[in-house]
């Protein structure tokens, strides 16, 4: 059964990496972001970070770049990420006008 761990809406400030959520419990997580607000000229990076062990340094696991054109399929979802203790999702708009992006993190 899939459950919503957290959700919200992030209004992007250009060139700022916004943390959507950091989860410090074990699980299999999926990040979903509605990019319907994206228009021509907007570029957004979505990043997911993790750790190999609890005390280790946070490392980039996945990065996706969207734009500079509107998306034909604007609901993006990450692949399921197995995380024994650390999952962090961020959003960074690098070009265009700052937009609001609804998002959710699901536990599978």
């Amino acid at each position: 059964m899939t459950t919503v761990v957290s959700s919200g809406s992030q209004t992007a400030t250009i060139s700022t990496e916004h943390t959507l959520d950091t989860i410090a419990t074990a699980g299999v997580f999926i990040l979903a972001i509605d990019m319907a607000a994206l228009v021509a000229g907007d570029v957004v990076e979505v990043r997911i970070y993790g750790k190999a062990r609890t005390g280790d340094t946070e490392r980039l696991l996945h990065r996706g770049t969207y734009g500079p054109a509107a998306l034909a399929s604007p609901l993006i979802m990450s692949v399921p990420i197995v995380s024994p203790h650390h999952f962090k999702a961020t959003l960074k708009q690098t070009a265009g006008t700052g937009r609001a992006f609804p998002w959710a993190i699901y536990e599978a």
Side-chain angles (χ1 to χ4, degrees):
M1 182 168 135
T2 302
T3 59
V4 177
V5 176
S6 61
S7 64
S9 181
Q10 178 64 56
T11 300
T13 300
I14 303 302
S15 297
T16 299
E17 186 173 11
H18 302 280
T19 297
L20 303 178
D21 199 4
T22 302
I23 301 167
T25 57
V28 177
F29 302 104
I30 300 163
L31 172 64
I33 302 176
D34 186 342
M35 296 277 190
L38 209 65
V39 300
D42 292 344
V43 178
V44 174
E45 291 180 1
V46 175
R47 299 176 184 176
I48 298 173
Y49 297 87
K51 294 181 181 181
R53 299 174 299 179
T54 303
D56 287 349
T57 301
E58 181 180 272
R59 305 282 185 204
L60 182 64
L61 285 171
H62 171 78
R63 181 179 74 191
T65 302
Y66 304 91
L71 303 178
S73 300
L75 181 62
I76 62 149
M77 296 186 95
S78 72
V79 296
I81 306 279
V82 175
S83 175
H85 44 257
H86 185 85
F87 176 97
K88 182 172 96 173
T90 70
L91 180 144
K92 179 179 180 182
Q93 188 170 351
T94 60
T97 301
R99 310 279 178 200
F101 299 99
W103 60 273
I105 296 174
Y106 304 108
E107 185 171 7

